[in-house]
Amino acid sequence: MTTPPSADDLPDDPSPAAPRRTNRLSTATLVTGLLVLVLSAAGVTVAAVLVAHREPEPARPIDTHGKTWASELRAGDCFSALEEQATRVLVEPSPCARPHDGEVGAELTLPAADFPGDRAVAETARKECAERTRFLRQSVFGNRLELYADRPDEKAWKDGDRDVLCLLRYPGPQRLTAPLVDTKQTELVPLARIGPGDCLTKWQISGFLPLIDCRLEHRFEVYAVFTLPDGAWPGDEAVARAADEGCRSRWDALFGPAGPRLPDGRRAGRHYEAPVLDHWKKKNRQVTCLVTGTAGPLRGSVVPR
């Protein structure tokens, strides 16, 4: 058994004890408490100021002055008081039968892609609008129509809106009082220039024929042209029979026996124009095969290109 050393055996200079850890939080609290006491004693009020995070103010809405965004209109709608707002357009909708300044000529959607920039969108929109509204340039007001494109900005594009509205504005001096398609002009062409896919507002035996863009209202569309054999005049009945048979065979080959279906769902009718004796004497033996409407005028082409 080991006997513990006596007090006399212990060293006179013991090793210093390890320093005691100080609780920094306790120290800070103590100092703060003392400071508050000192300031309170001096009559000073201590307050904690909390700075709240502020959300950015929303953008102010554009003042439309009671107008409508053009994007709410559709092709064929008429308007007045056009006003551009950056990439967008404001208008006052108007019935086309009342005095107005312009008309929506076309609608389109640009291809999906990364936003190419405002300038690129503007250039593409204008190019597409010019092409799609070309047929309305046949209006008697066509040479003075101004083209505007309501198009998406970067934010709208990223939200999935790539729609473009093509607007045609007539600067005057008078105002428009009818849809542009009702103010169209026709091109007069000789019979020899008529071919498949051409559309006509009417047929006339002699003189020039009124050719018109097929997207506008018309009465006939040419689906075939051929020439009867040369020789002596065979008589009205023989010419009519040869013309009918020739047009029928070309109709069946192009459309099938049922014929083409018009854009509005109606069936089309078949018609032909054959030479008369006076034409035959002048070496004109052309037969023109025509599509016609069975209940009203046509609009749009049915002949394959």
Side-chain angles (χ1 to χ4, degrees):
M1 179 175 178
T2 303
T3 303
S6 65
D8 294 336
D9 296 330
L10 294 175
D12 296 333
D13 185 17
S15 299
R20 187 174 60 182
R21 292 183 180 180
T22 303
N23 188 322
R24 295 182 181 179
L25 179 59
S26 300
T27 303
T29 302
L30 177 61
V31 172
T32 303
L34 292 174
L35 180 60
V36 170
L37 289 175
V38 171
L39 293 176
S40 298
V44 178
T45 302
V46 179
V49 179
L50 298 178
V51 180
H53 173 68
R54 291 186 178 181
E55 294 291 339
E57 294 184 3
R60 294 182 179 180
I62 297 175
D63 185 0
T64 61
H65 308 293
K67 297 181 180 179
T68 299
W69 292 111
S71 56
E72 297 182 20
L73 275 58
R74 292 294 175 263
D77 290 344
C78 296
F79 61 83
S80 293
L82 182 147
E83 177 184 342
E84 287 189 288
Q85 291 278 358
T87 65
R88 295 301 189 182
V89 177
L90 285 167
V91 295
E92 291 180 1
S94 172
C96 294
R98 295 181 181 177
H100 57 277
D101 298 339
E103 183 177 326
V104 179
E107 304 170 71
L108 62 112
T109 300
L110 298 177
D114 292 337
F115 183 67
D118 288 326
R119 177 175 295 182
V121 171
E123 291 176 353
T124 302
R126 188 170 185 83
K127 179 181 177 181
E128 290 292 331
C129 282
E131 177 63 28
R132 294 171 188 244
T133 60
R134 181 182 299 175
F135 73 105
L136 291 173
R137 298 287 178 176
Q138 294 186 30
S139 163
V140 294
F141 306 105
N143 291 337
R144 298 198 60 203
L145 292 174
E146 298 172 346
L147 179 63
Y148 295 83
D150 181 272
R151 60 193 188 276
D153 58 14
E154 183 174 6
K155 182 180 183 303
W157 186 283
K158 290 181 177 179
D159 289 340
D161 176 11
R162 303 186 310 280
D163 294 340
V164 174
L165 209 68
C166 310
L167 300 99
L168 295 170
R169 176 180 173 271
Y170 181 65
Q174 72 268 37
R175 303 185 75 194
L176 303 174
T177 55
L180 290 172
V181 294
D182 293 342
T183 63
K184 59 186 180 293
Q185 300 181 101
T186 56
E187 178 186 1
L188 297 177
V189 297
L191 177 62
R193 281 184 51 193
I194 295 296
D198 286 339
C199 293
L200 308 166
T201 57
K202 63 179 180 179
W203 184 271
Q204 48 197 35
I205 296 177
S206 60
F208 290 79
L209 296 170
L211 187 68
I212 194 169
D213 191 298
C214 291
R215 287 172 290 186
L216 300 178
E217 194 173 277
H218 55 278
R219 185 176 178 187
F220 301 108
E221 181 176 6
V222 180
Y223 70 87
V225 172
F226 65 96
T227 303
L228 295 175
D230 195 6
W233 170 247
D236 291 333
E237 290 186 7
V239 169
R241 184 168 54 253
D244 182 60
E245 291 175 355
C247 285
R248 181 184 296 278
S249 64
R250 289 165 173 79
W251 174 280
D252 291 347
L254 194 60
F255 305 117
R261 186 173 293 277
L262 302 178
D264 60 6
R266 293 180 292 126
R267 287 291 182 185
R270 185 172 62 85
H271 182 74
Y272 66 84
E273 290 291 339
V276 296
L277 178 58
D278 287 344
H279 293 164
W280 196 277
K281 290 179 178 179
K282 297 176 182 178
K283 306 298 182 182
N284 178 3
R285 303 182 308 280
Q286 177 176 310
V287 176
T288 307
C289 308
L290 303 163
V291 177
T292 186
T294 56
L298 304 171
R299 178 171 290 183
S301 175
V302 296
V303 176
R305 301 289 177 171

